[in-house]
């Protein structure tokens, strides 16, 4: 990353100013930011989803310390019309809904009143360290996320399940002058997979740039039509055809890619010349762009492989899906109690007392098997009843028992 200038807080502000031009200037902006030698805009996904429970105020507080240009959050409506932060259609993965409202874990977010949603814990599922986090409103996100160097990306999530979502969000933006300050600075964007919703938003607030999400449309005419109202397009980098980077730019759109979590994959998308990178680990991306060590507490134990799609059944005894840890140092390292989170925070642990000799490996399995501790064949089995690593690509992050991030690997 030597070709990029190290960024200070000052240059970060300059980038935000540049972004104003880019986000509002249509194709001229795309030309400005499409050069692969220019740093992309950095976006914290669900605020800071790799290190704190997604879409919570804890994740917003953390993203302010990490220094990306913007952070993204997902907005839906409660049944009584309050804009609340939640990614999934249901509350099952990221709250304790099963205990608080038994039998309603399959209900939609939008089936719960705001008062009911406030009874849920939205942090303990991630870690007991975050127990007590509540589901925030869009107004609370502004209260906690408003910061001179930071912008906000509002995803209109599942609008079909939240009738009136666009109007409610626009009302919220009209209700507090700080939103207008963000908009005037080019630090506010609305995005959605639902192109009708994000286009409706654009009609109501044409001063705020919008982004469509999804696979890159394969018709140039369709891309050009989108560029009539959208400023950018956001897509999954794993399915992005590198040739489509130029197609998106030629249509006059900026290109955002999500969710790019490992330093190696960050380098890959930056070299493609994308304009914005969305990541669960915004601090890692910011440090990488600055030419600093992207994982400052790396200790030489790395994730050298992850097999999400094992030949045969992912949960077959002894040989199912697994992550490989390698000790690249010249001394043994005790990795007992280390843990590995995937992108949606399924957690694989390493048993107590496991040492990896210098240069050695340990395979950490999701499913069942017989634990083995011997040099050259060291294995630990989590004995889960379900596979967790995505077969089509995932990211896995390695933490020490005291929650220090030491590596991120993506496949
Ligand atoms: O930034 C776009 C990204 O947030 C879209 O994917 O599933 O995380 O909402 P998802
Ligand atoms: Ca999102």
């Amino acid at each position: 990353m030597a070709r990029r200038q190290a960024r200070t807080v000052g240059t970060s502000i300059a980038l935000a100013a540049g972004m104003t031009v880019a986000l509002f200037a249509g194709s001229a902006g795309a030309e400005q930011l499409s050069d692969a030698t220019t740093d992309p805009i950095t976006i914290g996904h669900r605020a800071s989803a790799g290190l704190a429970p997604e879409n919570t105020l804890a994740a917003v507080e953390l993203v302010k310390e990490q220094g990306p240009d913007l952070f993204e959050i997902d907005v839906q409506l409660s049944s009584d019309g309050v804009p609340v932060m939640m990614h999934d259609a249901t509350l099952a993965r990221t709250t304790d809904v099963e205990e608080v409202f038994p039998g309603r874990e399959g209900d939609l977010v939008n089936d719960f009143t705001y008062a009911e949603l406030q009874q849920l814990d939205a942090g303990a599922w991630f870690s007991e360290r975050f127990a007590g986090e509540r589901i925030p409103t869009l107004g609370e996100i502004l209260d906690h996320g408003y910061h001179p160097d930071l912008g906000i990306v509002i995803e209109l999530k599942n609008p079909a399940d939240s009738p009136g979502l666009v109007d409610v969000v626009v009302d919220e933006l009209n209700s507090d002058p700080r939103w207008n300050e963000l908009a005037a600075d080019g630090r506010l964007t609305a995005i959605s997979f639902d192109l009708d919703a994000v286009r409706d938003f654009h009609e109501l607030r044409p001063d705020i740039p919008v982004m469509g999400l999804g696979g890159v449309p394969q018709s140039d005419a369709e891309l050009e039509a989108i560029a009539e109202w959208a400023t950018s397009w956001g897509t999954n980098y794993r399915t992005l055809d590198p040739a489509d980077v130029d197609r998106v730019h030629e249509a006059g759109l900026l290109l955002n890619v999500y969710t790019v979590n490992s330093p190696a994959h960050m380098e890959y998308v930056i070299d493609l010349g994308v304009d914005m990178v969305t990541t669960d680990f915004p601090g890692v991306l910011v440090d990488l762009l600055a030419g600093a060590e992207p994982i400052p507490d790396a200790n030489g134990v790395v994730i050298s492989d992850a097999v999400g799609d094992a030949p045969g059944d992912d949960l077959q005894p002894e040989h199912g899906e697994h992550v490989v840890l390698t000790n690249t140092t010249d001394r043994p390292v005790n990795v007992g109690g280390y843990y590995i989170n995937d992108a949606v925070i399924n957690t694989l642990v390493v048993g107590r007392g496991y040492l990896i000799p210098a240069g050695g490996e340990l395979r950490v399995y999701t499913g069942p098997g017989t634990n083995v501790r011997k040099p050259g064949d060291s294995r630990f089995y989590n004995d889960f009843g379900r596979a967790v690593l995505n077969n089509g690509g995932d990211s896995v992050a390695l933490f020490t028992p005291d929650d220090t991030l030491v590596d991120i690997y993506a496949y």
Side-chain angles (χ1 to χ4, degrees):
M1 308 313 295
R3 67 178 185 278
R4 292 190 170 78
Q5 278 191 316
R7 285 196 297 170
T8 63
V9 174
T11 52
S12 179
I13 291 168
L15 177 65
M19 188 180 75
T20 306
V21 175
L23 289 176
F24 282 90
S27 58
E31 281 164 27
Q32 178 182 336
L33 283 180
S34 62
D35 180 344
T37 63
T38 307
D39 281 354
I41 291 169
T42 53
I43 305 175
H45 186 231
R46 308 181 197 169
S48 185
L51 297 178
E54 63 189 55
N55 286 315
T56 64
L57 297 181
V60 171
E61 293 299 337
L62 195 60
V63 83
K64 287 192 286 192
E65 294 169 18
Q66 297 185 56
D69 299 306
L70 305 110
F71 69 89
E72 182 252 14
I73 36 90
D74 300 289
V75 185
Q76 307 190 42
L77 294 183
S78 64
S79 63
D80 47 349
V82 178
V84 292
M85 302 309 111
M86 186 57 57
H87 174 272
D88 293 4
T90 74
L91 299 154
R93 182 176 64 86
T94 59
T95 75
D96 57 353
V97 65
E98 213 171 322
E99 289 96 75
V100 180
F101 298 108
R104 294 182 66 189
E105 55 273 13
D107 290 2
L108 296 177
V109 173
N110 329 88
D111 294 329
F112 292 79
T113 64
Y114 176 67
E116 287 174 328
L117 293 174
Q118 286 310 287
Q119 295 175 46
L120 299 174
D121 187 312
W125 70 276
F126 185 98
S127 162
E128 275 306 313
R129 287 179 290 132
F130 296 102
E133 282 295 317
R134 299 289 158 202
I135 297 172
T137 64
L138 188 52
E140 289 171 323
I141 291 291
L142 180 68
D143 288 340
H144 288 257
Y146 184 76
H147 182 277
D149 299 335
L150 196 54
I152 302 179
V153 179
I154 299 173
E155 180 172 346
L156 306 166
K157 183 57 93 183
N158 304 333
D161 293 333
S162 285
L165 177 63
V166 171
D167 289 333
V168 170
V169 169
V170 168
D171 285 349
E172 163 62 30
L173 301 187
N174 290 337
S175 75
D176 190 315
R178 291 174 297 174
W179 288 116
N180 282 336
E181 285 172 36
L182 289 175
D185 280 355
R187 293 190 284 131
L188 187 60
T189 305
I191 70 176
S192 190
F193 287 98
D194 185 319
L195 299 191
D196 289 336
V198 80
R199 194 171 178 173
D200 288 348
F201 178 96
H202 171 71
E203 298 289 329
L204 294 168
R205 284 298 300 259
D207 58 316
I208 298 174
V210 296
M211 177 194 300
L213 297 174
V216 175
Q218 286 311 294
S219 142
D220 289 343
E222 193 182 338
L223 269 178
E224 281 157 23
I226 290 166
E228 296 290 321
W229 52 269
T231 306
S232 54
W233 188 260
T235 200
N236 184 331
Y237 78 99
R238 286 190 167 88
T239 54
L240 172 65
D241 179 345
D244 283 341
V245 177
D246 283 347
R247 288 186 56 246
V248 171
H249 287 157
E250 278 158 18
L253 292 161
L254 302 170
L255 182 60
N256 169 46
V257 287
Y258 57 85
T259 305
V260 191
N261 285 344
S262 72
H265 285 199
M266 289 172 183
E267 297 254 13
Y268 165 73
V269 298
I270 292 164
D271 287 343
L272 286 180
V274 304
D275 309 291
M276 307 179 207
V277 179
T278 300
T279 174
D280 291 327
F281 297 92
V284 171
L285 178 59
V286 168
D287 283 350
L288 182 139
L289 287 167
E293 169 55 57
I295 303 179
D297 296 313
N299 65 0
V301 179
V302 301
I303 300 171
S304 53
D305 198 7
V307 178
D309 189 8
D313 184 348
D314 281 352
L315 286 184
Q316 65 190 288
E318 314 293 342
H319 302 296
E321 66 173 37
H322 62 278
V323 175
V324 183
L325 305 185
T326 298
N327 175 3
T328 65
T329 75
D330 57 6
R331 59 191 159 70
V333 177
N334 181 346
V335 293
Y338 277 45
Y339 64 95
I340 299 156
N341 281 347
D342 72 0
V344 289
I345 321 298
N346 292 299
T347 301
L348 301 181
V349 299
V350 178
R352 290 283 164 190
Y354 269 79
L355 282 185
I356 311 182
E361 284 184 357
L362 167 66
R363 278 173 282 161
V364 183
Y365 287 81
T366 302
T370 307
N371 294 338
V372 177
R373 298 177 198 227
K374 61 181 182 194
D377 184 16
S378 194
R379 294 179 255 148
F380 182 77
Y381 292 87
N382 275 263
D383 201 15
F384 282 10
R386 65 186 178 98
V388 296
L389 301 176
N390 280 342
N391 288 2
D394 206 338
S395 66
V396 276
L398 180 64
F399 296 85
T400 64
D402 68 356
D403 307 307
T404 301
L405 175 69
V406 292
D407 197 29
I408 309 170
Y409 178 89
Y411 61 93

